[in-house]
Amino acid sequence: MDVSLPSREALKAQAKRMRAALADAGTAISHSAALEAVAAQYGYRDWNTAFAAARDAPRLRFQIGDTVKGRYLGQPFTGRIKAAGEAGDNWRLTLVFDEAVDVVTSAHFSNFRKQVNCTVNGQGVSPAATSDGEPQMRIFLG
């Protein structure tokens, strides 16, 4: 079975999750040991070899008028980009949804949004997260 190697960022995140899970189970390992274990899972002799073989995740370029889809606060959406600007390694975007998105999970009331401002990285994922750890925004061009 051929398993494609994820991006460097994804490999590091996998090692971090592995280390946390093992610590929760009572087995503490170093960060470097977790990186080595992830490399071994993909068939590489060590972390440096896996890191060299992996590529940085492709960086998305957002432009005004682009059609987008994704999830905002856990809710699926489609829409378009109204404003876009690079801010260092991130993007500041204004999105207009095709259909208003309910941003409240309560059964007692709703709060619909038709337009939002957000910050996302080059993969379309916001650095801000909800209380359950999920990114507030995930965007896919399309």
Side-chain angles (χ1 to χ4, degrees), residues 64-68 77-83 94-98:
I64 294 172
D66 279 350
T67 301
V68 293
F77 71 85
T78 59
R80 65 179 176 77
I81 298 175
K82 180 179 179 180
T94 300
L95 304 179
V96 177
F97 300 137
D98 293 336

Side-chain angles (χ1 to χ4, degrees), residues 89-125:
D89 291 337
N90 292 323
W91 287 88
R92 298 268 310 137
L93 303 172
T94 300
L95 304 179
V96 177
F97 300 137
D98 293 336
E99 307 259 338
V101 174
D102 189 359
V103 298
V104 177
T105 57
S106 172
H108 303 290
F109 68 98
S110 296
N111 185 6
F112 288 91
R113 298 271 172 88
K114 182 75 172 160
Q115 178 174 302
V116 296
N117 295 315
C118 63
T119 300
V120 295
N121 64 18
Q123 286 72 47
V125 178

Side-chain angles (χ1 to χ4, degrees), residues 14-24 26-38:
Q14 184 177 348
K16 186 176 180 179
R17 288 190 308 271
M18 175 190 296
R19 185 175 181 206
L22 287 171
D24 288 346
T27 304
I29 64 170
S30 68
H31 183 64
S32 62
L35 292 171
E36 295 294 334
V38 167

